[in-house]
Amino acid sequence: MSVQECLGDKIKQIRKSKKMMQKMLAQGVCSQSVLSRIENNLEIPNVSVLQQLCVRLAITMDQLMYTNFSQILEVQQFFVTLNKLLIHKKYHEMDQMLDETEILDRLYLDTDLQLYFYHLGIVEYFVKNRPETAIQGLRHGLSYTYSENKKDHFSSIEVQIIGFIGRIYADTNRFLQAEKRLERSVKLAVELPIEQSTFEVTKVFYHYARFLCAQMQYEKSIAVAIQGVKWSLDRLSYYYIEDLLHVASQAHEKIGNIDKSQWMRKTADSIKTLTNYENGVDLS
């Protein structure tokens, strides 16, 4: 099969696996008729169009060019399942899945390896109680795509890793290191283009607001928590809003704003029922 046929078939298969209509994939990238010609092996897309299609399909150009569809789907499904366990905070099941699934040998893309070490770092911290090993793994994962001199084109997973490293530093009383990374993770989250940001990034606002409250920076904690709520709602998400409102409630209570504290707590409790279903993921 030619490269042209491989590209067309793969794009069509991946689009259908994500239950996307041609119109959805093509919107803002190319006309639907052009996409149809690409998928039917009648036209080879230029690099710009191909790159934009890959972003929308949540794959890399390397995956599209050099990996067959079944391998792409297998890896994607592995991380979908793993991430769902993370959302549910089923860390022990994550540990079992990482231990039993021999997926590492089938990962060669930087982004896939980064995802792997991110989830592994979470297991090392929450299950095995090894913060230093967790940080080491998270740094290793981050290094595939990130450097201290990086200026732009950050991904959602990079932001989450930086935020989680900050969370571990905060929990282990390394406050200067924690604040540096937590503040940076929130700054990067705000700068993420809305179409490239996933709802899970909301956690970095929670990590930072929680840290600030523990450091008795109550006003700043409230500001970051509310910023996180707005960020999440702008993306039609309720993920971690309950947690953010509870942190804001606690901070208001500490500075004597009892009415605001009680309102925040009641709002958090009322919004809890809305967080059982998030972006196609059952969170109940």
Side-chain angles (χ1 to χ4, degrees):
M1 184 177 288
S2 69
V3 172
Q4 180 175 338
E5 291 172 328
C6 285
L7 286 176
D9 288 343
K10 286 180 185 177
I11 290 171
K12 183 188 294 185
Q13 288 176 316
I14 296 168
R15 174 179 63 78
K16 288 184 175 181
S17 75
K18 295 177 177 293
K19 296 180 172 57
M20 294 177 68
M21 303 295 290
Q22 279 188 339
K23 183 178 180 180
M24 296 169 62
L25 179 57
Q27 187 174 13
V29 177
C30 61
S31 68
Q32 187 174 342
S33 62
V34 167
L35 178 59
S36 179
R37 287 178 59 80
I38 292 170
E39 291 189 345
N40 288 295
N41 308 315
L42 299 174
E43 182 174 332
I44 297 177
N46 62 44
V47 173
S48 176
V49 168
L50 187 60
Q51 187 173 29
Q52 291 179 75
L53 292 175
C54 285
V55 169
R56 194 154 291 174
L57 291 169
I59 60 172
T60 66
M61 288 182 67
D62 282 347
Q63 281 179 306
L64 188 63
M65 295 291 291
Y66 304 119
T67 311
N68 65 48
F69 173 70
S70 61
Q71 290 174 319
I72 293 173
L73 193 60
E74 180 186 10
V75 170
Q76 286 183 338
Q77 188 56 53
F78 172 79
F79 285 121
V80 166
T81 303
L82 199 60
N83 193 56
K84 186 173 182 179
L85 293 174
L86 173 58
I87 290 169
H88 285 277
K89 300 181 181 179
K90 295 182 178 180
Y91 305 126
H92 288 277
E93 291 183 36
M94 287 176 62
D95 183 26
Q96 185 177 0
M97 186 174 175
L98 286 165
D99 187 51
E100 293 179 354
T101 308
E102 296 179 355
I103 194 74
L104 187 57
D105 292 337
R106 299 196 291 278
L107 303 179
Y108 69 94
L109 296 175
D110 289 347
T111 49
D112 289 339
L113 287 163
Q114 187 174 61
L115 277 170
Y116 176 85
F117 284 104
Y118 170 57
H119 289 92
L120 187 65
I122 288 170
V123 165
E124 287 290 335
Y125 185 65
F126 286 116
V127 177
K128 300 179 180 179
N129 194 28
R130 298 196 291 223
E132 299 309 318
T133 306
I135 290 173
Q136 184 179 1
L138 291 164
R139 282 177 170 171
H140 181 69
L142 195 61
S143 70
Y144 283 105
T145 61
Y146 175 86
S147 70
E148 292 297 331
N149 298 322
K150 188 171 182 177
K151 300 297 183 184
D152 53 16
H153 301 299
F154 293 92
S155 67
S156 288
I157 190 64
E158 287 175 319
V159 176
Q160 290 178 76
I161 292 175
I162 294 169
F164 190 55
I165 290 173
R167 158 73 185 267
I168 297 175
Y169 278 137
D171 290 349
T172 52
N173 301 322
R174 287 171 279 187
F175 302 127
L176 290 177
Q177 294 157 296
E179 185 159 22
K180 176 183 176 182
R181 286 160 180 82
L182 291 169
E183 184 175 28
R184 179 157 176 74
S185 68
V186 166
K187 180 178 182 294
L188 292 175
V190 171
E191 293 173 353
L192 277 175
I194 194 164
E195 66 275 7
Q196 295 178 23
S197 53
T198 60
F199 68 86
E200 295 95 337
V201 174
T202 310
K203 283 185 291 188
V204 304
F205 293 93
Y206 169 73
H207 292 325
Y208 192 25
R210 173 179 175 268
F211 167 79
L212 291 168
C213 190
Q215 293 297 300
M216 297 184 289
Q217 298 183 51
Y218 301 123
E219 297 284 356
K220 193 172 181 179
S221 174
I222 293 167
V224 171
I226 298 305
Q227 185 182 28
V229 170
K230 291 178 179 177
W231 188 94
S232 189
L233 290 176
D234 283 346
R235 288 151 181 80
L236 306 179
S237 170
Y238 293 99
Y239 187 59
Y240 260 79
I241 287 183
E242 178 190 355
D243 305 82
L244 287 164
L245 290 174
H246 276 302
V247 171
S249 172
Q250 183 181 355
H252 273 300
E253 183 178 0
K254 292 292 185 180
I255 57 179
N257 295 335
I258 304 303
D259 289 343
K260 287 186 177 179
S261 174
Q262 291 176 345
W263 183 86
M264 291 281 185
R265 187 172 291 109
K266 288 179 181 178
T267 304
D269 292 340
S270 66
I271 210 168
K272 185 175 183 179
T273 56
L274 298 175
T275 63
N276 289 335
Y277 193 75
E278 185 68 62
N279 286 13
V281 179
D282 182 5
L283 305 181
S284 60

